Amino acid sequence: MFDIILKRKEGTNVLKGIKLRLYPNRTQQNQLEQMFGNDRFVWNQMLAMMNERYQNNKALPFLGKFKLNYLLKPLKKEYPFLKNSDSSSLQVVNEFLTQSWKNFFQDKSGQIGKPRFHSRKYLKKSYTGKSIIKTAGKRYLKIPKLGYVKTSKTGVLQNTKVKRYTVVLEPTGKYYLSLQAEIPEPEKYSLTDKQVGIDVGVADFAILSNGLKYPSFDNSYFEKKAKVWQRKYARRRHLAKLLVLQDRNKKVLCPRSLESFTNWQKAQKSKAKCQAKAANQRR
């Protein structure tokens, strides 16, 4: 659990980023999987419509996020499973899509292309909402559509107003909740008129003039393990692809898919865990 101050607002409040670990149960995990898919589905549906509109007549006026939000109601009637998502998260999808199109139209260098379709094979899944999140005890939060979800300590949310939240499923299989919260401006520390010298070196990371030493950082163990699992992952996935192609060429009645081979998926998760441990130590 860590937090970063993002930016200062006018007045006595500041915006602060807070990241908490989530521990959803099996039912909530299935709900989250559908909510991730719903955001991806709305993005692809809206993008397909805007692409067709742009190809038919490039002189047509640009559709903003408010006009796209009007299309959510008929889309929910046609696809009732979209009602299982937080309605504000689907509006945020339209907001992100609108911003992507604006970046495309405003870019004169030609380096920014048109928005792309989202794939379900993307490892890091997430959705963002603007609804109210309530604390329910020291270890529980009430999240829209999910109910009460176990989390890390919620003491950091005291005297805060959540403006936006994001639920993320990392490639390691862990769930996190990132919050953009508004908090009172912290008190400024008074100067002590004391000085300290810092010597940054190779043998030691830093040596202070008051005698404190900070040893150099070494995470070679997890980096080596990550490289080993990277090779295993690449080899296993390559073999799985060959078997899938073999079934297609032989025209098997029930051909195997790439997702049916769990060996390379296990290696992928082990590789992600080692990379995350090295990144956390470095951070």
Side-chain angles (χ1 to χ4, degrees):
M1 181 184 66
F2 56 91
D3 48 337
I4 305 170
I5 291 181
L6 297 176
K7 59 182 179 179
R8 191 172 299 275
K9 290 185 66 179
E10 294 182 0
T12 59
N13 293 335
V14 294
L15 287 180
K16 183 178 182 180
I18 303 174
K19 189 172 182 180
L20 303 174
R21 175 83 182 274
L22 288 181
Y23 302 92
N25 55 36
R26 181 62 61 182
T27 303
Q28 291 168 341
Q29 289 179 18
N30 294 334
Q31 287 180 291
L32 285 170
E33 192 66 29
Q34 183 171 8
M35 293 168 81
F36 296 147
N38 288 350
D39 271 34
R40 181 179 64 248
F41 180 81
V42 170
W43 173 281
N44 292 339
Q45 288 288 321
M46 295 295 184
L47 179 57
M49 180 269 297
M50 296 182 77
N51 280 338
E52 185 177 356
R53 191 171 185 269
Y54 180 73
Q55 291 174 359
N56 292 337
N57 188 354
K58 295 184 179 180
L60 288 174
F62 176 74
L63 291 179
K65 60 181 180 180
F66 297 108
K67 292 183 179 179
L68 292 181
N69 289 340
Y70 283 123
L71 300 177
L72 287 176
K73 191 172 182 180
L75 197 64
K76 288 181 180 179
K77 289 184 178 180
E78 187 175 358
Y79 304 99
F81 58 85
L82 294 177
K83 296 179 181 179
N84 296 327
S85 288
D86 181 6
S87 58
S88 66
S89 69
L90 304 182
Q91 296 174 4
V92 172
V93 170
N94 291 336
E95 182 181 336
F96 290 161
L97 181 59
T98 303
Q99 187 60 47
S100 298
W101 275 102
K102 284 183 179 180
N103 295 338
F104 167 67
F105 286 123
Q106 294 175 0
D107 178 48
K108 298 181 180 180
S109 62
Q111 295 180 355
I112 301 178
K114 291 193 296 183
R116 298 182 180 181
F117 292 100
H118 288 177
S119 172
R120 68 177 61 189
K121 297 180 181 179
Y122 185 58
L123 292 177
K124 192 173 182 180
K125 303 175 183 178
S126 66
Y127 78 90
T128 302
K130 297 183 290 185
S131 300
I132 298 175
I133 290 183
K134 298 179 181 179
T135 58
K138 294 182 179 179
R139 297 293 301 273
Y140 282 90
L141 290 174
K142 189 176 182 182
I143 303 178
K145 296 294 183 178
L146 292 175
Y148 296 97
V149 185
K150 188 177 181 181
T151 179
S152 48
K153 295 182 179 180
T154 58
V156 293
L157 299 180
Q158 292 182 356
N159 302 324
T160 61
K161 182 181 179 182
V162 177
K163 309 290 287 185
R164 184 170 291 196
Y165 73 94
T166 302
V167 180
V168 182
L169 172 60
E170 296 284 349
T172 57
K174 296 179 181 179
Y175 292 86
Y176 291 94
L177 177 68
S178 298
L179 301 170
Q180 187 184 37
E182 189 177 282
I183 64 170
E185 187 175 4
E187 296 181 2
K188 296 182 179 180
Y189 292 104
S190 58
L191 297 177
T192 60
D193 294 328
K194 295 181 181 180
Q195 298 178 352
V196 64
I198 304 176
D199 179 26
V200 180
V202 178
D204 294 299
F205 177 71
I207 302 175
L208 306 187
S209 59
N210 56 11
L212 287 177
K213 280 188 177 182
Y214 295 91
S216 59
F217 171 70
D218 181 22
N219 65 339
S220 58
Y221 174 74
F222 289 115
E223 287 183 347
K224 288 179 181 178
K225 287 191 69 175
K227 290 180 181 178
V228 171
W229 280 110
Q230 174 67 44
R231 289 194 295 267
K232 290 183 179 180
Y233 160 73
R235 183 170 63 250
R236 292 177 184 180
R237 194 167 192 271
H238 177 67
L239 292 176
K241 282 185 175 181
L242 292 179
L243 292 174
V244 170
L245 290 174
Q246 185 178 355
D247 286 356
R248 290 179 182 175
N249 294 334
K250 290 183 177 180
K251 297 181 179 179
V252 180
L253 185 61
C254 296
R256 291 170 291 184
S257 64
L258 188 62
E259 285 73 21
S260 63
F261 296 91
T262 59
N263 219 16
W264 67 270
Q265 297 176 16
K266 291 179 182 178
Q268 184 182 55
K269 185 171 288 188
S270 298
K271 176 198 68 167
K273 286 182 179 179
C274 293
Q275 291 174 342
K277 286 181 179 179
N280 289 337
Q281 284 188 344
R282 192 181 304 111
R283 188 181 297 113

